[in-house]
Amino acid sequence: MSLRPMGLPPVPEQTVRVARAAFPQGSLAIRVRDRLGEVFTDEPFAEAFGVRGAPGLSPGMLSLVTVLQFAENLTDRQAAAMAIRAIDWKYALGLELTDTGFDHSVLPRFRARLVGNGMERVVFDRLLEYCVDAGLVAAGGKQRTDSTHVVSAVRDLNRLELAGESVRAALEALSVAAPDWLARAVDVPEFAHRYGPRVDSWKLPGSKVKRDQLSQVYGQDALRLCRAVWSPDAPAWLREIGAVDIMRQVLVQTYTVRTSSRGKEVVSKREADEDGVPPGHLRLASPYDTDARWSAKGDDLFWLGYKVHLTESCDNTPPEAEAEAEAEAEAEAEAEAEVRGRPNLITDVTTTLSTVPDVKATAPIQQQLADRGLPPAEHYLDSGYPSAELIETARSRGTVMVTPVLLDRSAQAKSHAGYDKSAFRIDWKARRVRCPQGNTSTGWHPVRQRERDAIVVEFAKTDCQACPVRPECTSARRGNRMLTLYPEHLHTVLAAARAEQKTKTWKDKYALRAGVEGTINRATRGRTIRVNTPSGGSMLKV
């Protein structure tokens, strides 16, 4: 398939007349074509297509179909049908009224091509560029970010089902790629009987003994198939088949291989307490979506999939602040009026593994905004996003993070009855700390904790054990108090942020962040934003 860059064709005269007559007030598709037609061009997609072969459908047109499909919550079949029978869609796509459209299978193949070439964000970035040129969003304003869960469109499997289904998926792939080799490597009738239907399409044994026996069979089959694939006489390219490598990973994560006292090889399921299991961010959950991970939020939300972070501009002045704006100088009032005319627009969409904490997404989001020329002057986030390092780095780049910093999490601070860190006086130059009872620390140890610089301060056991208020200061078995501090510049940043967030002025200002909850609610209601297909053809990603 080749690409002949054309973009959206001009709208035929007959299509214009009929569409205007049928939709005198316009429609979403008509407004998108009239106002945003220049966004959907072919040139940005050129690298994903060849220069030889039969010309394919315009990627600009297909991307517009994808946008309309998402806006109207349609399946691929429904979207293809709309391109045939809907007059306003024909207007948007520049088609004749008699055009027979295209097959629905074109859409998933188009999305897969975009994902395979890293072009998921092309249309989003072009639309954002258009909004910047139109003055609808600009650098230096206010933006806010929040996250929500994205469910992978695969069946939830327990460990037993995952083991069996991974073997079945590998057999399916090998039967297509190397049927003759597979017939020589395994007992085809036996494997066909065991792995013909999907593992989750029949009821698993009820007793634990039978389930353990079945689990052992799955493990033995996976080990046998792996050894066959990795044997010296097997074609080396078999090891590059994705389903085969996934089966190997599931085998390692789910089973152990031991030799018994009689010299017999034993394949058994891993037990968390005895054998250990991989951490959640590495543990595979489906042979068809290797990026999906199990995650939890709070006590009542568990999901298999991803996490999406939405960032939007929020420069509109709140109603209660309009009176104050009118009292300002004329030039400043004009600037505020210009800002108030801007709509709130999504400026960034970032998808991560479900196990990635929000704080790990903060720097990438801010970098992406900067790369687009849209770094905010104020970035509103919840308490999961900040750290002392991030606050300092963002400020050095001209962005103030308006976010609640987690307070001291020590037992003394939580109980509100003991001496927390704020009760100690730090002399950074002398590298000493004085406790509330006047005792001076005896140890100052710069260390690395969780890949961060920190300072561990230690007080003498003789001072602490003789202290009359020791129960209010420490309950450590070692008998003395120890403090863990950030380096001076980060400690100062945190102290200032914690003090500021206690003021009414800061709380009133931070209320602006709550608006992003409505944006997420609107994006998830009746949309497919929370469903991500394992092929990567996610409506969210495209």
Side-chain angles (χ1 to χ4, degrees), residues 185-358:
V186 302
D187 185 343
V188 174
E190 177 187 355
F191 275 66
H193 172 73
R194 191 175 300 142
Y195 300 102
R198 288 179 60 94
V199 172
D200 54 20
S201 65
W202 51 276
K203 187 175 181 180
L204 294 175
S207 70
K208 183 179 184 304
V209 173
K210 291 184 177 180
R211 288 198 301 272
D212 290 343
Q213 291 175 346
L214 183 59
S215 174
Q216 188 175 33
V217 170
Y218 288 157
Q220 292 171 344
D221 289 346
L223 181 60
R224 177 181 173 185
L225 198 55
C226 281
R227 284 177 173 168
V229 171
W230 269 267
S231 65
D233 58 342
W237 57 267
L238 292 179
R239 303 161 198 168
E240 300 176 3
I241 297 176
V244 173
D245 185 59
I246 292 171
M247 177 189 66
R248 179 189 63 80
Q249 294 182 58
V250 172
L251 173 65
V252 173
Q253 293 184 358
T254 309
Y255 295 95
T256 61
V257 181
R258 298 186 178 94
T259 301
S260 67
S261 58
R262 297 181 179 180
K264 182 180 179 180
E265 186 177 70
V266 179
V267 180
S268 57
K269 188 174 67 174
R270 285 183 177 273
E271 298 297 336
D273 296 335
E274 299 177 4
D275 309 307
V277 295
H281 69 280
L282 296 178
R283 195 180 312 155
L284 295 179
S286 169
Y288 306 109
D289 190 350
T290 56
D291 291 329
R293 296 290 185 270
W294 278 107
S295 192
K297 186 175 182 179
D299 298 329
D300 54 358
L301 177 58
F302 299 88
W303 80 97
L304 171 63
Y306 305 84
K307 190 185 292 183
V308 61
H309 303 262
L310 297 181
T311 302
E312 69 170 353
S313 60
C314 53
D315 284 319
N316 288 331
T317 304
E320 61 271 16
E322 290 182 356
E324 298 180 7
E326 293 175 357
E328 296 177 353
E330 182 177 353
E332 188 174 352
E334 290 178 358
E336 285 290 330
E338 180 182 354
V339 168
R340 285 199 298 272
R342 296 174 183 166
N344 291 347
L345 298 175
I346 292 178
T347 55
D348 186 76
V349 180
T350 297
T351 304
T352 67
L353 297 182
S354 62
T355 53
V356 175
D358 290 349

Side-chain angles (χ1 to χ4, degrees), residues 11 15-16 19-20 30 33-34 87-94:
V11 185
T15 304
V16 173
R20 297 299 183 192
I30 291 175
R33 173 57 192 256
D34 289 343
I87 296 173
D88 56 340
W89 276 50
K90 286 186 176 294
Y91 178 96
L93 302 177

Side-chain angles (χ1 to χ4, degrees), residues 423-503:
F424 292 77
R425 297 294 174 260
I426 306 172
D427 186 339
W428 295 99
K429 292 183 179 180
R431 304 179 73 175
R432 289 195 299 265
V433 177
R434 184 177 297 276
C435 79
Q437 295 299 309
N439 295 315
T440 302
S441 61
T442 57
W444 179 283
H445 311 289
V447 297
R448 291 283 292 178
Q449 292 183 348
R450 299 178 182 178
E451 299 182 358
R452 295 176 178 176
D453 291 330
I455 299 169
V456 175
V457 177
E458 183 178 10
F459 288 84
K461 290 184 179 180
T462 54
D463 291 337
C464 291
Q465 290 174 352
C467 182
V469 295
R470 176 187 167 193
E472 299 177 31
C473 188
T474 181
S475 58
R477 293 182 179 179
R478 60 182 175 270
N480 63 323
R481 179 68 184 265
M482 300 183 73
L483 299 176
T484 301
L485 307 175
Y486 281 97
E488 181 179 5
H489 62 289
L490 296 181
H491 181 87
T492 304
V493 168
L494 278 181
R498 288 168 176 166
E500 183 182 14
Q501 70 189 44
K502 295 178 181 179
T503 65

